[in-house]
Amino acid sequence: MKGGKLIIFSAPSGSGKTTIVKHLLAQDDLNLAFSISATSRPRRGKEKHGEHYYFKTLSEFKQHIKNDDFLEWEEVYRDNFYGTLKSEVDRLWAEGKNVIFDIDVVGGLRIKKKFPDQTLAVFVKPPSIDELKIRLKKRSTETDEKINMRIAKASVELATAPQFDKIIKNYDLDIALKEAHDLVAEFLKV
Ligand code: 5GP
């Protein structure tokens, strides 16, 4: 695998990284395409196969692991596997795009390690764990149990922030969006 650049946005669930990634995808000057991950978790709300995720059964996912189809994969929550298929990155590079990822911290750092020079790894920091709770509850797409699981994980994830190339504090969304755009534009120039 070779090709274009890789832009990683990792953060605890509810930090606003998905909003930032969507904003960046809409900026034509950056020439970005979204890496659609594979997951074994159930589909939520209006999510579509092949757009938000490639939804897989647990056994399909495990077969991909056996076949060494993943650039990285992770059991992000119990029985909920997520991974980046090598074929997905190849597909987007073949289109001449820079690839942007919305993935968990472990996966993000793994890709950075594999492609150190081609990758910009950004950590999005939420204002606080309490604010994270409020945001996840507002989203109301998950049960309390699942929300609590995500919050428990957030503290561990926050500790990995210093390993990223850049940290964006998402306290004010407009400022965070501008900062994200400037960081990525600068990296793509090099
Ligand atoms: P969600 O279930 O909210 O869509 O995602 C849960 C977590 O899994 C998020 O932190 C998301 O960034 C992460 N995730 C999504 N795709 C991937 C992937 O391909 N690999 C890894 N390691 N994490 C992923």
Side-chain angles (χ1 to χ4, degrees):
M1 290 177 81
K2 45 180 172 47
K5 298 226 168 134
L6 304 173
I7 312 290
I8 289 161
F9 276 81
S10 293
S13 186
S15 304
K17 72 174 179 306
T18 304
T19 308
I20 295 175
V21 168
K22 278 194 185 143
H23 170 78
L24 294 175
L25 279 164
Q27 313 302 310
D28 290 338
D29 60 318
L30 302 177
N31 187 32
L32 296 173
F34 181 64
S35 165
I36 303 167
S37 297
T39 184
S40 69
R41 82 144 161 77
R43 203 175 298 211
R44 273 199 311 245
K46 289 186 180 150
E47 287 178 335
K48 288 201 184 104
H49 178 80
E51 185 178 329
H52 299 91
Y53 282 107
Y54 299 115
F55 292 99
K56 307 272 178 186
T57 63
L58 199 53
S59 72
E60 283 170 340
F61 199 100
K62 288 184 173 167
Q63 191 58 48
H64 280 302
I65 296 175
K66 273 196 195 140
N67 296 350
D68 193 27
D69 291 336
F70 287 113
L71 194 56
E72 62 77 33
W73 62 270
E74 196 64 33
E75 186 175 9
V76 177
Y77 307 104
R78 193 154 49 86
D79 274 349
N80 285 191
F81 288 74
Y82 297 78
T84 305
L85 290 162
K86 293 175 186 169
S87 58
E88 176 66 1
V89 176
D90 279 337
R91 176 179 78 84
L92 299 173
W93 275 346
E95 289 176 13
K97 297 285 188 182
N98 298 303
V99 183
I100 188 163
F101 299 80
D102 173 347
I103 67 179
D104 95 310
V105 296
V106 180
L109 291 170
R110 212 166 262 162
I111 291 179
K112 173 74 191 175
K113 222 174 181 177
K114 282 196 176 165
F115 301 98
D117 301 329
Q118 273 162 274
T119 305
L120 173 71
V122 183
F123 187 91
V124 182
K125 214 170 186 176
S128 64
I129 294 278
D130 282 344
E131 177 62 26
L132 212 59
K133 263 185 216 167
I134 294 166
R135 289 185 192 178
L136 285 172
K137 290 212 162 124
K138 254 198 214 153
R139 197 157 85 175
S140 68
T141 47
E142 277 133 311
T143 59
D144 277 354
E145 189 202 342
K146 290 240 166 93
I147 289 176
N148 289 337
M149 204 159 80
R150 284 172 187 247
I151 287 165
K153 195 162 185 243
S155 316
V156 181
E157 291 168 327
L158 280 170
T160 68
Q163 296 177 55
F164 283 74
D165 297 321
K166 301 281 178 190
I167 298 175
I168 289 182
K169 293 181 182 151
N170 188 9
Y171 300 178
D172 176 307
L173 184 61
D174 286 335
I175 295 173
L177 292 179
K178 176 159 186 342
E179 211 179 313
H181 176 274
D182 292 351
L183 273 180
V184 173
E186 186 61 33
F187 178 73
L188 294 179
K189 252 201 286 181
V190 187

